[in-house]
Amino acid sequence: MPDEHQPRPATPAGVLLTVPGPRPARVAAQTVAVLAVLSVPAALAVDVVAAAVALLVLGGVTVARVLLLPATLQALLGAALVAAGWASAVGLYETVRWVDVPAHLFVNGLIAATLGIVILRGGLLADPATRAGRAGIALTTASVGVTLGVLWEIAEWAGYTYVDESVYVAYGDTIGDLTAGGVGSVVAGLLVARWAR
């Protein structure tokens, strides 16, 4: 794995400030992290729900940082989360229905890649130096991503049923979301397997 020989930071502040990877990717990851922080007060100006979403996004960006994910993945995941959060805050999902598809494709795929790397680093997968090991990494990453997509759709249904009927739930929307998330997860699995060589 490309970043396995980089020293781990010794302090909590070091963990939050360290981004492994090449300089352009580190700068991108740091920029996205600053945007995630600034999104919280900006979203509060929209409403409390938007601020709660912005806090969730900031939490996701922080977890990516604490996990010492590669800088490119941190930047892409953070950007996707910030974009998805703001699309929700400004009502873009309701006014432009197709925005939901790339959101599921990218967010689901990038979260799958994150979890695939975490599982791989935890020593729970076969040796990535072998073809069978790489196939296992790809399959596990894709499976975790698809499972997360299903759980997300169940959460949407529960939100519609028990919390607020304004949560958009329809058969076609659910199938489209699952398909987009599944495609993103499969691509993530292939990329994580390649990265792990």
Side-chain angles (χ1 to χ4, degrees):
M1 288 180 282
D3 65 342
E4 66 183 4
H5 298 295
Q6 292 189 358
R8 293 187 72 85
T11 65
V15 169
L16 289 176
L17 297 174
T18 300
V19 182
R23 182 172 170 72
R26 289 194 323 261
V27 169
Q30 299 287 27
T31 301
V32 168
V34 169
L35 288 174
V37 170
L38 295 177
S39 289
V40 175
L44 189 55
V46 175
D47 63 29
V48 176
V49 173
V53 170
L55 282 169
L56 285 173
V57 167
L58 179 58
V61 170
T62 303
V63 167
R65 183 64 55 94
V66 170
L67 292 173
L68 288 174
L69 294 177
T72 301
L73 181 55
Q74 282 191 40
L76 291 172
L77 177 61
L81 291 173
V82 168
W86 276 106
S88 173
V90 300
L92 202 58
Y93 295 121
E94 291 78 24
T95 57
V96 186
R97 292 273 184 212
W98 62 265
V99 169
D100 200 28
V101 174
H104 280 274
L105 178 80
F106 288 108
V107 172
N108 208 152
L110 291 164
I111 292 174
T114 297
L115 293 175
I117 288 171
V118 168
I119 293 168
L120 179 63
R121 285 179 176 169
L124 300 173
L125 296 173
D127 182 3
T130 68
R131 185 175 180 179
R134 289 189 300 277
I137 290 165
L139 184 60
T140 300
T141 300
S143 298
V144 167
V146 168
T147 301
L148 288 174
V150 170
L151 292 174
W152 180 262
E153 292 306 312
I154 291 170
E156 276 189 359
W157 169 83
Y160 171 80
T161 304
Y162 299 111
V163 179
D164 186 353
E165 290 186 2
S166 70
V167 176
Y168 182 72
V169 177
Y171 181 74
D173 176 66
T174 298
I175 296 300
D177 292 351
L178 289 172
T179 302
V183 169
S185 297
V186 168
V187 171
L190 295 172
L191 292 174
V192 170
R194 183 175 179 189
W195 170 83
R197 286 181 167 192

